[in-house]
Amino acid sequence: MSDAPKKLHIKTYGCQMNVYDSERMAEAMGAKGYTLTDDPAEADMVLLNTCHIREKAAEKVYSDLGRLRPFKEAKPDLKIGVAGCVAQAEGTEIMRRMPLVDLVVGSQNYHRLPEMAEAAARGERPVDTEFPAEDKFDLLPERPVQGRPSAFLTVQEGCDKFCAFCVVPYTRGAEISRPVSRILAEARKLVDKGVREITLLGQNVNGYHGAGEDGDWGLGRLVRELARIDGLERIRYTTSHPNDMADDLIAAHGAEPKLMPYLHLPVQSGSDRVLKAMNRKHTAEDYLRLIERIRAARPDILLSSDFIAGFPGETDQDHRDTIALIEAVGFGMAYSFKYSPRPGTPAAGREGVPAEVADARLHELQALITRQQRAAQDSMVGREVGVLFEKPGRLPGQWVGKSDYLHAVHVAAEGLAPGVLARVRITESGPNSLGGALAGG
Ligand code: SAH
Ligand code: SF4
Ligand code: F3S
């Protein structure tokens, strides 16, 4: 056995929570001497951090595993691990179907990854998809140097809402919130390492109710406390459920300048009939009224959402109701997906709408959303916005950052670097990004 540092390649699928988890797993393995590599060919261990949300996402894992076979043949010591939501949902099946997989670690057991890797090195094939009582994040090593101005911080995990189409309550388990003190400590550490923007993550992040020194805190109070950290300039959070938008969180959007004017608030459908069948527990009207209250607190907020096209039982009228809701709100950003039946969810057994009908509806939603996104982006021209710079752009002297409203912005100017937060006057709107110049410069 050589003493050379071992190399770990991680491929991350799915949502931002997986991105955060992959970072934490890399740190846990880093403490055991592994360094990260982008190249699976030079890796000693490959970890796929998977997503189960739609069938395509889950199936991709099996094809990617197939693609790893030549690497394993070339290097029999290579260990292959599957983590994340597919691991959680189908761990045993993966082990059975894919003999090249050496370990399966479910979404709540990442603190066990180093010891599982050791077991795999001994020739075992460990699987852990339990939902343990303890919080995995408490058992993972502390966060080391970040070197990036923007970081994710998971504050809440799991979901108790059980929307009829969704696997998350099964793959991530019941809702839990991390205690306030742990979140503040992690945030301070990130800021000490140069982080200036933190995005708080949770499957139902606005349902956050973590233990504080005087009882449970909601997300609004957590945001206000985080905003007191010197050097932390921007706070965001995602993903939220409409039923958990508490008054003090809405108020924070008006009162707390560090809380960025962008909100991802999935509605899924504009039809009350479909919302009921989805078990969303809100109506289209509830959503519209909520948007009014949020806009009253922060008129310039950029709203984002998720939509599902072709949910079982969706009629043309239901689809038109969704179109009407999108037109009524005017989203700055939105994602739409064709309904995908997921095993074990209540909607899986219901009769679906014909694929070509769902495709046509999805297409129509996407066309409308694209027009709205473009209009929101174009409306930035002539305005002055904050931009947090992250990396060099493609042209010499150019830097790219994110605006307060989460648009990518290109600026060519002296003195820019990752972590610089500057006022920028927007001068142009391109296909995927804005261009501008430093304000007052
Ligand atoms: N917790 C978040 C997001 C969960 S998953 C929320 O409550 O909104 C992200 C998005 O994937 C969902 O908002 C939904 O639009 C979509 N999605 C989830 N399950 C799906 C399925 N079975 N088929 C198609 N889209 C789905
Ligand atoms: Fe899934 Fe609904 Fe929970 Fe969101 S709220 S994670 S869509 S079950
Ligand atoms: Fe996918 Fe799991 Fe996230 S199913 S969307 S990786 S919570």
Side-chain angles (χ1 to χ4, degrees), residues 13-18 49-54 57 84-86 107 157 166-168 171-172 203:
Y13 311 71
C15 64
Q16 290 147 320
M17 304 200 60
N18 265 11
N49 190 9
T50 62
C51 174
H52 202 242
I53 201 82
R54 284 168 291 274
C85 293
V86 181
S107 55
E157 279 211 282
C166 183
V167 294
V168 170
T171 62
R172 293 277 173 164
Q203 271 89 11

Side-chain angles (χ1 to χ4, degrees), residues 2-18:
S2 91
D3 289 338
K6 293 204 163 192
K7 295 234 157 95
L8 172 66
H9 174 78
I10 304 187
K11 178 162 179 185
T12 306
Y13 311 71
C15 64
Q16 290 147 320
M17 304 200 60
N18 265 11

Side-chain angles (χ1 to χ4, degrees), residues 53-54 165-168 202-204 239-241 266 268 280 306-308 337-342:
I53 201 82
R54 284 168 291 274
F165 50 81
C166 183
V167 294
V168 170
Q203 271 89 11
N204 254 304
T239 297
S240 297
H241 191 285
Q268 316 297 354
R280 288 289 293 184
D306 291 341
F307 295 92
I308 294 179
F337 311 97
K338 187 162 80 162
Y339 170 69
S340 169
R342 306 305 293 127

